Amino acid sequence: MSKYFDLTRRNFLKSSAAVGALVVGTYFTGAAPRAMAGVLAKPSESSKVANLFVALRPDGVVEITCHRSEMGQQIRTAIAQIVADEMEASWDKVVVIQGKGDPKYGDQNTDGSRSIRYNMQRLREMGASVRHLMRQAAATRWNVSIDSCSAVQHIVTHTSGKTLTYADLVNDALNITPPETDKITLKKRSEWRYINTAMEHIDLKDIVTGKATFAADVLEPKALIAMIVRPPVVGGKVKSFDAKAAKAIEGVVDVVEIPAPKGAPMFQPKGGIAIIANNTWAAMKGRKALTVAWDDGKNADYNSEAFKQSLLAKVATSQKSIRSIGDAETVLAKASDKLVADYYAPHLAQAPMEPPCATAMYYKDRVDVWAATQNPQADMATVAAMVGMPQEQINVHVTMLGGGFGRKSKPDFSAEAAYLSMKTGKAIRVQWTREDDIQHGFYHAVSAQHIEASLDKNGAIDAYLHRTAFSPITSTFQEGATVAGSFELRLGFTDNPINTPNMKLENGEAPAKARIGWMRSVSNIFHAFAIQSFIAEAAHKAGRDQKDYLLDTIGPDRILDVTEENADYDNYGGDKTVYPLDTSRLRHVIEKVAEMSKWGRKLPKGRGMGIAAHRSFLTYVATVVEVEVSEEGDLKIIKSWASIDAGTVVNTDTVKNQVQGGSIYGITAAISEGITFDNGRVQQSNFHDYRVPRMNDSPLEIDVEIVPSEAPPAGVGEPATPVYAPALCNAIFAACGKRIRQLPIGNQLKA
């Protein structure tokens, strides 16, 4: 944290004035998502809370505080690009400071592909406010009009040729009343210097040279290491344990029981027995030597195969109507020829390369936590509940994240560390292993989809019925919840863009026998898999080209307002007038990716191409995959192409990287064995049986093109993932004639 920032307003104003830094922030008035920019040199109304600071130091260096978590998506770079561009800062004078957990920053939850969408406007306003103040300070000193002064790259120049650096003007600017937001002039797009360009990751050098601090790199305070034996079944608890052998291990200093959670899982630890040691090896040996007897509880009967069959049976019958157009049921009942398909996808684990880790130090009046967290405010709340302390007394310091994908926004690991520190009086680092992460996570929901359609004489879909059933994320927060929330259904289900006069969408209940949590692109994964696979099947039935049929099925350019049939659709929290569901943009990415891949070209025997397109997180993505399937059923992905329309983008290189990474993540959804349960226990333990793509599983090239757009910024981190599995499976069918309706692909090609 910068020495110029203290989020207690009185201390902040006092300290910033003392050091002579020009500090600029934004404000939230009440719960308003937009903010007003201004210099915090004088107290303002008590209803305004300062957040998102920019400090221009007396030496001219710009400190920009990033309130979001860095996990490879380069948000620290993007935030700096936006602010520095509008303030006309020289890039070599920009330093990024990581903000700790604090409600004064507003929303800090780094998931949902929202960081730029939620913050770009106020970040631009902050940067432009500094630029205005520099020009005003120079104009005042020169006794000239501000309009005769321009700011470029840390230098203010008068029309006469006189110049002053930002460092020269810091003290002058401290005495100037900041402009209101409506008085700030933002740059035109044609004037952007850093925004919408490819810029190197600001942390890249530190990462590749080993200087970046990840959770396991925290050295101060010097901590004991804890490893935990957790209940193998969700809801289970310790019946008895024998720690004699564990305590005999050299280096083991304590054995502490963690209480079982109460009520809904929330982000509470699962409970269990912690081995606390002087070093990691001793903790691992002590854990292995521990003997524990478990009371497995009510979820001990969870079996994946039985649950799969129950879900498929569920979607085979009528369920609760979610969205209805025309009379699909009647048309389908009278149809002489229907296409009917069931799709299935298993549980998945986020499986970040860096397993969860947190260090905590408990004091009588506070708890300090250092964690690889996507949501430090959730850490604050969860730790506070765990140790019985007010939330404002929990200090969460955010380290770099070695991947997250949604797992690290669920801070059970931080709560474990804080609880153990409270019990021992020592600083404790809880280190999860890969096996811990695979076997004790919050899993992506298993799902079953049933789709029926009748085709008219021209092969077009004239009636469409789709049923979905999956264990809801709401079960993590509400005991016994079995119904998907509207926020889950709008992830690729409610907002189905198929142009048909008759559509019926239904949702079935499904209990949760494991901890269910969001994962990169959430239920878009299985909804897009089913819909895009089914459209390709319909194209084949109609004797049509896959790409042409997909375009025809989406229909003409138009704005869809699905709230007419479903009032619960929230459009990812975006105003539908600002972020409409625009089929022209969806069609365009399809046409673009077809052009990129030279769709329709002649392929050698055993090769095929598949296409899929989907809107998620307000972004449009289309992907083409080319594969080769040998006579023995061996699969090779030759190459893939992706076109993305995410509106205004900040760092073009980052967007391409995110699409490529999201595509690889989509391969995981297609080829991984999935997470399966028997007797309530996860059957996988590491990457040997929960497979993530190796180099030989991945294409040598993933070609990405960004659609130029002046639309507002949308999500980037997740939208490339949902389209990959269906495009891959459609390509497999084109290559060898085998239709994949159930994931993982596994040995289906060899059958």
Side-chain angles (χ1 to χ4, degrees), residues 501-654:
N502 303 286
M503 178 185 289
K504 187 72 177 294
L505 306 181
E506 299 177 352
N507 173 230
E509 294 186 37
K513 308 287 279 183
R515 297 197 295 183
I516 304 300
W518 48 93
M519 189 187 79
R520 189 177 195 171
S521 79
V522 209
S523 41
N524 281 294
I525 290 177
F526 45 72
H527 288 143
F529 171 63
I531 295 168
Q532 292 298 303
S533 296
F534 187 84
I535 291 173
E537 292 199 44
H540 179 72
K541 183 177 178 64
R544 298 281 309 283
D545 174 81
Q546 215 186 121
K547 181 264 294 182
D548 293 342
Y549 191 85
L550 176 57
L551 287 168
D552 287 348
T553 300
I554 292 169
D557 295 351
R558 66 199 187 283
I559 302 298
L560 290 180
D561 185 1
V562 299
T563 57
E564 294 176 0
E565 299 102 32
N566 186 286
D568 290 335
Y569 183 71
D570 74 347
N571 199 37
Y572 294 87
D575 186 331
K576 65 182 181 182
T577 62
V578 178
Y579 293 98
L581 203 170
D582 186 346
T583 64
S584 69
R585 295 174 70 182
L586 186 59
R587 290 176 58 86
H588 182 68
V589 292
I590 294 169
E591 291 164 341
K592 183 63 181 177
V593 80
E595 175 189 317
M596 293 165 60
S597 62
K598 296 181 172 58
W599 181 270
R601 58 188 160 85
K602 185 174 178 59
L603 297 173
K605 182 182 178 181
R607 286 201 183 185
M609 296 174 73
I611 192 168
H614 188 65
R615 175 189 185 260
S616 65
F617 304 94
L618 308 174
T619 287
Y620 306 80
V621 176
T623 288
V624 167
V625 179
E626 181 177 345
V627 304
E628 181 176 85
V629 180
S630 71
E631 291 184 0
E632 294 75 27
D634 295 317
L635 172 66
K636 181 179 181 180
I637 303 177
I638 304 299
K639 185 175 179 178
S640 63
W641 300 259
S643 173
I644 179 171
D645 180 351
T648 298
V649 302
V650 176
N651 190 318
T652 54
D653 190 50
T654 295

Side-chain angles (χ1 to χ4, degrees), residues 12 81 212 218 300 321 391 507:
F12 161 72
Q81 282 179 256
V218 173
S321 178
Q391 186 170 327
N507 173 230

